[in-house]
Amino acid sequence: MNRSAMRLFSLNSSNLYNTSIYELMPDELEKYFTPGKETTGISVSFGTEELLLSISSVEDYFLLIFNNVTKKQRIKYKLDLLHERLRTYDTILDRLEEGICVIDEDLKILFYNKKMGEINLREPESIKNKNLFEAFPNLEEDNSKLLKTLKLQKTLNHRETHFKSDGKEVTILSKTYPLMSGTKKMGAVEILKDITKQKELEDTIRRLKNNNDAPMIQLNDDQPSNNTRFQFKNIVFQSREMGRIIELAKRAASSPSNVLIIGETGTGKELFAQSIHNESPRSEKPFIAQNCAALPKSLLEGLLFGTSVGSFTGAVERSGIFEQAHKGTLLLDEINSMGVSLQAKLLRVLQEKKVRRLGSNKEIDADVRIVATLNEDPQEAIQKGRLREDLYYRLGVVNLVIQPLRKRKTDLTVLMNHFIEKHSKALNIQIDGVQEDVAKFFQEYSWPGNTRQLEHTIEGALNLINDEKIITFDHLPYTFQQQMLEEVNTQQGSFPPRIPNTKTNGTLTEQLEHLEINLIKEAINESYGNITKASNKLGISRQNLNYKLKKFNIATK
């Protein structure tokens, strides 16, 4: 027995010999003392100590080797406990409505919750533990709030607009914080929050406070007195499908019946609603629009039907929008967002043509034509309990279905040119059009936000133009740039590289493309393959140069 074993078993040289091993260890060890056999990894407890025992047969003797793993076991227990807590924290953070991404100082993604994945269309498990640039290959420092926060060690706030896959426009508030341990940098965290509903609610309450008796829309000085801006002549289109819907809408305008307009977010449902009103016998009367998704039930009910003193704390005598729209038209936008119980009250008003203010027994005449909109299939809304079937039949006397932009791509070019003309005048700039690659991308893009998203994209691009005469890759939103780069990568995996004919007798487009390739190659060679230096030489962004390198399959080495 060596000294370490003596200390372990509290023995010394005087009482060591003639001591049976079974006095020190359990009898269960007897089965391991087999001549010619070696056994390892036997777990043994001795007092408070945890031991791993190996028994080897050496001629007529047995060699016992004890490895004290008490500290390791304690560490393992603590690690298991920590891992369990981490899993608990991950589960909690995954349940939050905010998107969360955490990186360390080496840009490794430590945490990426489900909500963040939904916003960025990424699978969290495929992102975690990767380097930020590996997870997002097209990411640039100028476009990353996380990288800016990590570099500047400052909290940054940013508000931006996204379009979800269903086309719904959402406003996102982004906050990034530096992570510190004392004075040591530990990383950064980004938190994204969807504030669309809060923003709509704040705007509505602010308008209510500013004018208790005013309709729930704000008028510009150039708007007609009936609260509208659009007529059928303002609808820009080229497709036969849109022309057919406009003709149906014109016929419906002359009728007193209610109209239900069905279409995805951003397809122009309110534009049709206003045009129907202006083409109808009620055109000289009020047109009032209300988004049913913008307010909670408690506020929406009072807004629709009006309030009387005593109906709730702080209530005042105020007419509802049904009274304000008397003899005119009321647009109920996203009727499927209205609570089912409130839909029942609305149905009664439509049947009786009378309205009763909250807290009052007096009935008031309400001769109102309803134009309602749905941003989903009505049968699906009924099945899922978001729309009463009886209300659907009452509202949908006339049904108009506006196809999404992706199903009428022939309208895209005329819409794009219209928005360029509209916003270039507002910005006092002269624009000739859109770069060929960008126009092709626009044609292939699905436009989940439809016409509204197209207009926002054009307006945003025009705000970034300096001396250029066309909208290029550099002027597009970051998400569009990423998608264009990804499509180029996909095409290169399936098709031969796009190297144009080098002959000088090609078309103008081919010769310009050939010249562009030569200039890029020259800049790359002069910059010894440095993308940043080459992009500076060419006067374009680093990301745009990366796009062109992949597009033309130009090597940098």
Side-chain angles (χ1 to χ4, degrees), residues 1 77 99 122 226 295 329 361 419 452 455 545 553:
M1 185 174 285
Y77 172 77
R122 302 277 179 165
N226 67 358
L295 289 172
T329 304
N361 293 322
F419 293 138
R452 182 185 299 150
E455 180 173 11
L545 179 55
N553 199 24

Side-chain angles (χ1 to χ4, degrees), residues 298-473:
S298 56
L299 285 179
L300 183 59
E301 185 174 359
L303 185 66
L304 289 172
F305 307 133
T307 58
S308 55
V309 176
S311 57
F312 56 87
T313 304
V316 297
E317 286 291 337
R318 186 175 62 201
S319 61
I321 56 178
F322 264 93
E323 293 179 56
Q324 296 166 18
H326 186 58
K327 300 292 184 182
T329 304
L330 176 58
L331 169 62
L332 295 177
D333 197 14
E334 297 187 35
I335 190 73
N336 50 322
S337 297
M338 180 186 292
V340 176
S341 60
L342 188 54
Q343 288 183 28
K345 296 180 180 180
L346 173 63
L347 181 63
R348 181 182 175 279
V349 171
L350 297 180
Q351 290 171 340
E352 303 295 331
K353 294 190 178 297
K354 293 182 182 295
V355 66
R356 186 184 298 168
R357 293 183 183 181
L358 294 184
S360 172
N361 293 322
K362 180 183 177 182
E363 290 189 332
I364 303 169
D365 290 335
D367 178 12
V368 176
R369 185 190 194 178
I370 300 295
V371 178
T373 72
L374 271 174
N375 57 8
E376 64 177 328
D377 180 83
Q379 295 303 324
E380 184 178 345
I382 292 170
Q383 290 173 5
K384 293 186 176 180
R386 290 193 286 265
L387 179 66
R388 288 178 60 103
E389 189 171 11
D390 47 4
L391 180 62
Y392 166 64
Y393 293 124
R394 174 67 64 171
L395 293 175
V397 177
V398 177
N399 276 269
L400 298 175
V401 180
I402 305 175
Q403 293 295 333
L405 187 56
R406 65 180 174 275
K407 291 187 178 180
R408 48 185 179 92
K409 288 293 181 70
T410 50
D411 288 337
L412 194 135
T413 301
V414 292
L415 283 168
M416 186 170 60
N417 292 335
H418 169 71
F419 293 138
I420 289 175
E421 181 182 0
K422 172 184 173 181
H423 293 290
S424 60
K425 283 182 180 178
L427 296 169
N428 195 26
I429 57 177
Q430 180 63 43
I431 296 298
D432 296 332
V434 176
Q435 190 180 50
E436 184 181 349
D437 284 350
V438 174
K440 181 182 177 184
F441 172 76
F442 280 1
Q443 283 291 341
E444 295 172 351
Y445 185 61
S446 62
W447 297 105
N450 292 291
T451 308
R452 182 185 299 150
Q453 184 185 10
L454 175 63
E455 180 173 11
H456 287 184
T457 301
I458 296 295
E459 183 182 4
L462 295 180
N463 274 279
L464 299 178
I465 282 180
N466 189 10
D467 298 324
E468 303 92 338
K469 292 298 181 183
I470 60 173
I471 295 173
T472 68
F473 176 89

Side-chain angles (χ1 to χ4, degrees), residues 222 228 553:
D222 59 346
T228 64
N553 199 24

Side-chain angles (χ1 to χ4, degrees), residues 35-129:
K37 183 180 178 181
E38 179 180 2
T39 307
T40 59
I42 306 168
S43 181
V44 179
S45 295
F46 184 75
T48 60
E49 305 295 326
E50 293 293 329
L51 311 174
L52 277 182
L53 172 61
S54 297
I55 301 178
S56 302
S57 175
V58 183
E59 295 182 353
D60 295 331
Y61 298 90
F62 290 99
L63 174 65
L64 279 66
I65 301 175
F66 295 92
N67 184 13
N68 193 337
V69 294
T70 306
K71 290 183 179 179
K72 291 181 181 178
Q73 289 293 96
R74 288 173 182 168
I75 292 172
K76 181 179 180 300
Y77 172 77
K78 290 181 178 179
L79 284 174
D80 289 343
L81 189 61
L82 283 173
H83 286 148
E84 186 62 35
R85 287 181 180 175
L86 282 174
R87 284 191 291 270
T88 302
Y89 296 151
D90 284 359
T91 302
I92 293 171
L93 293 174
D94 267 338
R95 297 293 181 93
L96 296 180
E97 288 298 317
E98 291 81 13
I100 301 173
C101 177
V102 182
I103 62 171
D104 64 13
E105 194 180 7
D106 297 323
L107 306 186
K108 180 180 178 182
I109 299 175
L110 303 178
F111 183 76
Y112 195 90
N113 74 343
K114 288 181 180 178
K115 187 66 177 182
M116 184 66 84
E118 290 174 9
I119 294 171
N120 291 331
L121 303 178
R122 302 277 179 165
E123 179 58 43
E125 293 306 318
S126 68
I127 296 293
K128 289 177 184 177
N129 299 317

